[in-house]
Amino acid sequence: MSEKTIWDILNRNLLFVKNAVKNSEAKTADKLDVYDPESRQILLECREPDIGALTKIARLCGGRHDTGTSFNLVASIPDSKEQVLRIERGNATLTFGGPAVKISDHWDSLLGKLKKKKLTLRMKFTFVPEKQGETLVLQIKGGEILCGDKKVARFLKWNSDFFREKQFNYAFSINQEVPANSQIRQVLLAIAFAQHRIII
């Protein structure tokens, strides 16, 4: 899969996200499908291929047993199973503020670490890049993500027949001013796919 194809997906400004665990299926891992609302096709599958037995049991039990557990979510292109992003974190239950969330690119190279800021009134995170780029301070407030004082993305329900028909959990919209092919775009999408693990 070419770099251009991967960035064509990452550069989209609107995605629909759906929990892909069927009602008849025992949930032992997170499964999400990410759709393009225009073509109505699945762009990415987010799965947890490498989690351990204890984490699977926690997923199955759910609720407080699953809150704060480790995760290793890989967003890949459905047909090729080629990785686009990896978002992972260790167990958060035994650490103050929780361990950092690691975000890796399509080469599985570490982009940087997202860390929740301690003792803040609102949900704030710091993203520290591994190699290049500036440290980002992100705030999640009322479903919106702010970088500094700029709104860069938001979670929302979408008013369309397709959204209701497929019973999507949420839409994720990235501000058009966020540069294409940029690291911040990768970070925002990582938050979008793992928000149910990060925003707790």
Side-chain angles (χ1 to χ4, degrees), residues 6 21 24 51 64 76 80 102 117 132 141 148 156 158 163 168 178:
I6 288 169
V21 179
S24 58
I51 58 172
R64 63 183 179 84
S76 60
S80 67
K102 296 178 183 178
K117 294 189 81 174
Q132 57 184 357
K141 179 183 176 185
L156 64 160
W158 199 260
F163 188 91
F168 288 102
V178 174

Side-chain angles (χ1 to χ4, degrees), residues 96-115:
F96 179 64
V101 174
K102 296 178 183 178
I103 302 172
S104 302
D105 65 9
H106 54 287
W107 299 112
D108 213 24
S109 298
L110 183 64
L111 293 172
K113 295 177 182 178
L114 186 71
K115 182 73 174 174

Side-chain angles (χ1 to χ4, degrees), residues 39 54 75 87 121 124 147 156:
S39 69
L54 289 177
I87 312 103
L121 294 174
K124 288 186 179 179
C147 185
L156 64 160

Side-chain angles (χ1 to χ4, degrees), residues 27-29 49-61 69-70:
K27 182 181 177 180
T28 56
D50 302 319
I51 58 172
L54 289 177
T55 306
K56 287 181 180 181
I57 292 169
R59 297 280 185 275
L60 187 61
C61 294
T69 54
S70 59

